[in-house]
Amino acid sequence: MLTNAVQTTLGPIIGAEQEAVRTFKGVPFATARRFSKATPPPAWTEPRRCTDYGAYAPQPGHLDSAEESCLSLNIWTPVGADRPLPVLFFIHGGAFVTGGGADYDGAFLAARGPAIIVTINYRLGPLGFLQLHRHGLGEANNLAVSDSLAALDWVHANIANFGGDPDKVTLSGQSAGASMVIAIATLPQAKGKFSRALALSAPGRNIMSADHADHVARRVLAELGLEGDASAISTVPLHELFGAVERVGRGIADETASGTVFGPVLDGTIIPREPRDVFADGRLRHIPLWLGSCRDEMVMFLKSTPPAAMIRTTERNVRVAFGDAGWERLLACYRGSARPDEDPYEALLSDAFWHRPMADLARLHSAAGGAVWLSRFDHGPALEPFLSQGPTHGADNACLWAHLPEFIDRPILKRKGGPMTPADIDVAARFQTSLLRFVTSGEPDVAQAWPRFEQSREPLAIFAQPFHVVPLNEGTRFRLWAELSASSDNKKMREAV
């Protein structure tokens, strides 16, 4: 049935109520012209029906039905709460080029919390990340970041009317969305609008340089034949624009440190500082932080056809850092310590690109006085692609959003859900419980079975059967990485003298 109207700063909206959860879908929080910063949409006076997801952001596979002004959000709120509820604000992933809020149904988490769940749409690919200001088109933009900030502003201003507590907002995201979280958390524009942060599977190199962004823009303009008239890109049909970006991406992905063409950009304006430097200087010490990854992150990318560019760039980066001899020592160490079911090459790359950078960020936040927890998801859900690939990239996300005892459908990714096994339910329930505790209290485990990450001890929570905690800073692999890193640092110091 339909809900009563809820007032927002733009006008009243009506949602749907089912099984003690009210849902408001496709709520517009901003509007934008191509390559322009988002602005508030026109206000309305009559109640607006918000019962269907908003249009997908333009992306490969969804260019015909998508709308460029795709800036909407979705809210799930339990019925009958007797106090303001904590809020989970979620930024989806998808390599900065795919995805949308419609792939994440928050009804189950909202009811179980109880909590308010918010998912958003932001601009993707060239529409969200192509930096054209050096070519006379607009100012430094980081449009996808600005979109997400506009959604966060809307939530801060309006969520109390939906039963939420604007002072208990958890800024969260997965994969590309986790990179966005790490960047946004450090921005002056976000200060006071969130109280905790959760980043799942953030790529190790999650910020692009301004020079790289300019290089991408020049290549795209050249591919479109618009070197002398950048403004004409505003009217290029979407299929032509995305086709040009795809061709450019195939040519330059190997030139990047991350193997991806797009991402948040250190432009000096929207993002003025390297995010890790902000964590290191202690400005976010008051923000509890949970950093998570999946055990076999790289399997999905190794098995893509062709293998993802991040495979090649990660190996190259390790070889540059430690030399060919260092790479061979690492690979030999991984081969000698591999589990029976483990691919040593994949494990090395997963550590280099995903796990170690997350641990380094945890160390920075902890050393600055912040509370931080580190986790790894070791359970392979009984759902493709995880049935065949194990706990690879996104395994934790599948369990986080499951409606126990069912995995949910992912319409944008075109993945079907299905029944969960008892092991799936057990691990997913623990993962969801920890997340909801974190959203509510700022600690994922109130019983202290999972201690916070500190310099004197580096506990790593393992979500598997059974849930357990292991020391991160032990074992032959850790010791070799530490030896190679120290040797590399000493070499750099000698060269600088």
Side-chain angles (χ1 to χ4, degrees), residues 440-453:
T440 301
S441 69
E443 296 185 32
D445 193 309
V446 294
Q448 295 301 308
W450 172 13
R452 60 193 277 183
F453 192 95

Side-chain angles (χ1 to χ4, degrees), residues 2 5 11 24 66 86 131 153 171 209 294 297 314 387 486:
L2 296 179
F24 302 84
Q131 298 279 85
D153 287 344
L171 182 63
S209 72
C294 296
E297 291 276 6
T314 301
L387 269 174

Side-chain angles (χ1 to χ4, degrees), residues 397-410:
N397 214 29
C399 288
L400 173 58
W401 296 95
H403 290 197
L404 309 187
E406 297 281 333
F407 291 112
I408 63 170
D409 292 343
R410 307 284 292 281

Side-chain angles (χ1 to χ4, degrees), residues 19 103 105-109 112 381-383 395-410 415-426 428-429 432:
E19 296 181 359
D103 263 358
D105 186 321
F108 186 83
L109 286 176
R112 184 173 178 186
L383 177 78
D396 51 359
N397 214 29
C399 288
L400 173 58
W401 296 95
H403 290 197
L404 309 187
E406 297 281 333
F407 291 112
I408 63 170
D409 292 343
R410 307 284 292 281
R415 290 183 185 169
K416 284 290 186 183
M420 303 173 76
T421 66
D424 290 334
I425 295 169
D426 177 66
Q432 292 179 347

Side-chain angles (χ1 to χ4, degrees), residues 4 38 40 103 143 276 317 367 425 427:
N4 294 327
D103 263 358
L143 292 177
R276 288 171 186 264
N317 292 339
I425 295 169
V427 177

Side-chain angles (χ1 to χ4, degrees), residues 176-338:
S179 289
M180 299 274 281
V181 164
I182 291 170
I184 290 170
T186 67
L187 303 183
Q189 306 94 305
K191 186 176 181 180
K193 295 170 185 172
F194 72 101
S195 57
R196 341 193 194 285
L198 166 66
L200 298 176
S201 297
R205 307 201 178 227
N206 53 30
I207 196 82
M208 301 288 183
S209 72
D211 287 342
H212 165 75
D214 185 48
H215 178 57
V216 172
R218 283 189 282 107
R219 292 285 294 267
V220 170
L221 290 170
E223 186 70 25
L224 291 167
L226 300 176
E227 299 99 316
D229 185 15
S231 62
I233 197 172
S234 296
T235 57
V236 170
L238 286 179
H239 282 279
E240 291 183 25
L241 175 60
F242 277 77
V245 167
E246 182 182 359
R247 293 189 295 275
V248 168
R250 287 198 299 267
I252 71 173
D254 282 344
E255 301 172 14
T256 69
S258 63
T260 58
V261 174
F262 292 123
V265 177
L266 187 63
D267 59 15
T269 304
I270 302 298
I271 303 179
R273 295 183 60 199
E274 164 63 51
R276 288 171 186 264
D277 292 343
V278 181
F279 278 96
D281 71 17
R283 296 190 186 187
L284 294 172
R285 66 170 63 93
H286 62 290
I287 300 295
L289 178 64
W290 175 356
L291 301 170
S293 58
C294 296
R295 188 190 70 191
D296 303 334
E297 291 276 6
M298 278 297 195
V299 169
M300 176 180 292
F301 304 100
L302 274 167
K303 293 194 174 184
S304 61
T305 305
M310 70 173 66
I311 301 296
R312 300 182 293 277
T313 57
T314 301
E315 178 176 340
R316 183 190 68 208
N317 292 339
V318 175
R319 288 181 182 273
V320 168
F322 304 138
D324 291 342
W327 167 265
E328 294 301 334
R329 285 186 66 192
L330 280 167
L331 191 54
C333 175
Y334 276 72
R335 286 170 174 158
S337 57

